[in-house]
Amino acid sequence: ITAGAFYHSSQICVASKRLYVHKNIYQEMQKTLVGVIQSWKVGPTSETGLMLGPVQNEIQYNIVKTFFEDCAVNGYDFAMGGKMGDRSGYPFGPIVPMMPWSDEEELLTRVNDTRTGLGGSVYCADTDRANRIASQIEAGTVWINSFERPLAEAFFSGHKESGLGGELGKHGLFSYMNAQVIHL
């Protein structure tokens, strides 16, 4: 789960942007995720053995900065400090909100209340329940019990403002073709 949220310092299109965790496991999950993240080495890309590097550019830095500002204005709590890091002149700031849920209908309303829909993940011991939830998520790709990892052999596309069409897989090859239909 942490890899899906923070891979490439959260600067990848399919990174987990929000975590919805069932209320029965919320506290335990938060404690576990914080423990994992605190064990990671963070620093400039000139160092070796890093898990998180700095924000890649000023535009991305300003986007992340607005997330922190919004959280401060709204009084949201942070599990790990709540300030945008700065180590040796490099800005750090991956942020992923984690929110509890208890009712599937309410969960899906919240999950789908976005203008985008590129990808998502559902983690659940009950794969039938996971499939049921995944099929109702308005996204081009939904992974079950895995973080977002597009595969070359699977079609990759988005819903809503995440785009039309797609790439990868046999269906993705159509974007490289000039199709012709002849009617008689």
Side-chain angles (χ1 to χ4, degrees), residues 14-26:
V14 293
S16 300
K17 307 294 190 289
R18 303 169 288 160
L19 302 178
Y20 294 96
V21 180
H22 194 277
K23 68 177 187 172
N24 292 346
I25 63 167
Y26 183 87

Side-chain angles (χ1 to χ4, degrees), residues 111-126:
V111 166
N112 291 324
D113 185 23
T114 178
R115 295 185 330 246
T116 58
L118 187 57
S121 295
V122 175
Y123 291 86
C124 187
D126 180 345

